[in-house]
Each structure stands twice: as structure tokens, then as C-alpha cells.
Amino acid sequence: MKPKVKSTAAKLLIVLLGNILYGVTVAVFIEPSGLITGGVTGIAIALERLTGFSVSIYTFALNLVLFVLGIVFLGREFAATTAVSTVVYPVAMHLTERVLNGRTLTDDIVLCTVLGGLLIGLSVGMVMRVGSSTGGLDIPPLILQKYMGLPLGITVYLFDFAVLIFQMFFVRGDAALYGVILVVIYSVFMEKVIALGQSKLQVTVVSEKADAIRRAILERLDRGVTMLAGKTGFTGAETELVMSVLSTRELPKIKVLVQQLDPEAFMVITQVSEVRGRGFSFEKKHLQDR
């Protein structure tokens, strides 16, 4: 099997698992506890309380309508990345509803809020981490961004906020407040899952022994180095800066290394949200491999 096929299969598996987990979580923790939530699920929960029809049925119908809008306004490429989510998520929710048949794992609304928020954040984060989309209420903000230039982040939160307000008319006060906490938990945790393992540290060293530090990083830490030209602010003397990107675990090693070579070195350490390139997002190339 070719690498690209393997990669596509792995992404599809992650999207499937993420949507299944999402559907199971809503059926097990969100529906029975009476919590409110954002997105299409939130609209479906409100409609279920108005009419009595299943949340999974409304979710599928709404997802399908939005999916068609996505095809019309955003194109077939968008449709290919959201087709799986459009179907698998409501189906997983419906099957879980059938299996539970009115039974609940817990009646504790705090447990449902925390576990529901963490699992939704994990499931949606998994899907978005591989570059796919959960579809649903993400689609209108994407359309508004494309045709009106509105910022995606703001419109997504506005749509979610509107859904939360809509649901507050159909639930008791404490469930509504816990629902707001639920949305905060899954929003924060989703961002953590998306960024998991991708954040690195950028270290910049100003030293008179810059070349010795450069060689030590290359040989002892096996990390790439970039040399930058600089000028000291106090004396105006020409100097060199050593810049390298490394993992959090390697930070103590480079601190010791620099301290040994030049105790008077000036070191700046910066958090980097993501690094792309050889040695990080794809395999490192050593001198002997060239």
C-alpha cells in the first residue's frame, strides 16, 4: 500500500472514531442530564423538547441540510471532508439511544457536564486535528467568511451563543448554566487536543561563544541551528545569535549546555504553537544521508 493511501486510511479511521465518540457522548451524558450545548446538537435538543422526536433524527436532518448548503456554496472538496461526519455522528447517537433505551449511567449533572465537555472536546479535536470538519453549524460561518469576509472565529462563537440563548427558554436555570460551563470545557479542551504534541520551544542565545554553542547543539542535542547576525544595544558591537527549536524535554539539556560553554550567555526561550519542517513534521535528514 502506498504511503498516501495509508495516510488517508488513518485519517478516515480517526474521523470515524471521533464522530462515534461524539455521538455516544451526547446520548450518554448530554441528553439524559438536560444540559444545553452549542452547534446543531443544541438546536436538535431544543427541537426534541418541543416536539418529542429523537435528537439524533433532528441532528441528521439539520446536518444534511447544512451539508447541501456546503456543497452549493463551498464546493465538492468541502463536501468530501464533511460527508463522513454528516452521517456517522447522528447514526452513532441514534444507536446509543436505542441501546440505552431510557437508562442513564449517572444522574449527577456535574459529572455529566465535566465528562461530556472533555469527551466532546476530545472527539471534535480528533476530527479537526486531521484536517477534517464536523460539518453542522461550522458551515454557515464558513459561507459568511467566503462571501462576506466575516472573521470565522467570531461568527462561530456568535452562532454557538445564539443556539445557547435559544435553548435557555426550554430548560431549568441550573441546566442552562451548567450548559454554558459544558461549552467552555469542550472549547478549551478541543483546542488542547488539536495542539497536542505540536508545541515546541524556540531558544535564542546571545553569546561571544556562539560558534561553540552552535556545534554543541548540532552534535550533542541533534537539533538544527540557525545563526542570526545581530548588534548589541549597549556597545553597538557586532554579534551572532544562535536560534534553535526543540522539544520541552530538551530544554534542561540546552540550559546546562549553554551554561557550561558560556555562563554569561543571554538566553531567550519562547513557546511556539506548532513547527513544520524537516526534523519535526517529517523525517530528519542527516549529513551522512545526503
Side-chain angles (χ1 to χ4, degrees):
M1 186 180 289
K2 295 180 180 179
K4 187 174 181 181
V5 176
K6 286 183 179 179
S7 176
T8 302
K11 287 181 179 181
L12 179 60
L13 179 61
I14 291 171
V15 172
L16 285 170
L17 291 175
N19 279 283
I20 290 170
L21 178 60
Y22 191 7
V24 170
T25 300
V26 171
V28 171
F29 295 110
I30 310 304
E31 290 184 66
S33 62
L35 288 165
I36 64 174
T37 186
V40 164
T41 305
I43 299 173
I45 288 173
L47 292 174
E48 185 266 342
R49 286 166 184 158
L50 278 173
T51 65
F53 286 107
S54 169
V55 173
S56 57
I57 293 174
Y58 277 122
T59 301
F60 179 74
L62 290 168
N63 270 346
L64 193 59
V65 171
L66 291 167
F67 179 67
V68 172
L69 287 175
I71 294 175
V72 173
F73 292 101
L74 301 175
R76 293 183 180 180
E77 184 178 347
F78 168 84
T81 62
T82 57
V84 174
S85 299
T86 300
V87 176
V88 174
Y89 164 51
V91 168
M93 190 195 310
H94 178 70
L95 292 176
T96 307
E97 290 170 347
R98 295 290 297 272
V99 170
L100 290 174
N101 195 25
R103 297 187 296 272
T104 58
L105 290 184
T106 177
D107 294 322
D108 190 325
I109 194 169
V110 176
L111 277 177
C112 289
T113 300
V114 175
L115 290 175
L118 292 175
L119 291 174
I120 290 174
L122 174 61
S123 58
V124 177
M126 286 169 60
V127 175
M128 297 185 71
R129 186 181 170 90
V130 296
S132 188
S133 168
T134 55
L137 216 58
D138 293 343
I139 294 173
L142 286 169
I143 294 173
L144 290 173
Q145 182 193 44
K146 180 177 180 179
Y147 290 96
M148 299 180 65
L150 298 180
L152 185 62
I154 294 175
T155 50
V156 167
Y157 281 114
L158 285 175
F159 271 88
D160 265 342
F161 183 72
V163 172
L164 289 175
I165 295 295
F166 175 59
Q167 291 173 90
M168 286 180 181
F169 293 102
F170 308 102
V171 297
R172 62 186 190 277
D174 58 344
L177 295 175
Y178 277 116
V180 173
I181 296 172
L182 170 78
V183 172
V184 171
I185 291 174
Y186 76 61
S187 297
V188 171
F189 195 59
M190 176 187 68
E191 292 180 2
K192 297 292 184 184
V193 171
I194 293 171
L196 185 65
Q198 298 184 38
S199 63
K200 302 294 177 184
L201 296 174
Q202 177 181 304
V203 177
T204 306
V205 183
V206 183
S207 170
E208 294 179 355
K209 299 180 180 178
D211 192 60
I213 294 170
R214 175 189 67 81
R215 290 197 308 271
I217 293 173
L218 289 170
E219 295 167 7
R220 292 161 61 179
L221 296 184
D222 194 26
R223 280 298 179 193
V225 178
T226 299
M227 303 300 290
L228 306 172
K231 182 184 289 187
T232 60
F234 185 69
T235 64
E238 300 293 331
T239 187
E240 281 190 310
L241 286 72
V242 184
M243 192 271 283
S244 184
V245 177
L246 58 158
S247 68
T248 306
R249 292 181 180 180
E250 293 168 316
L251 181 60
K253 295 179 182 179
I254 197 170
K255 284 182 176 180
V256 171
L257 183 151
V258 172
Q259 178 69 23
Q260 288 173 344
L261 293 172
D262 184 3
E264 296 183 1
F266 185 76
M267 183 184 298
V268 179
I269 301 165
T270 309
Q271 185 79 39
V272 180
S273 60
E274 184 176 356
V275 180
R276 307 291 297 177
R278 191 169 295 281
F280 290 96
S281 58
F282 53 96
E283 201 170 317
K284 188 181 297 182
K285 181 183 286 185
H286 295 279
L287 287 172
Q288 61 267 29
D289 298 330
R290 294 179 183 175

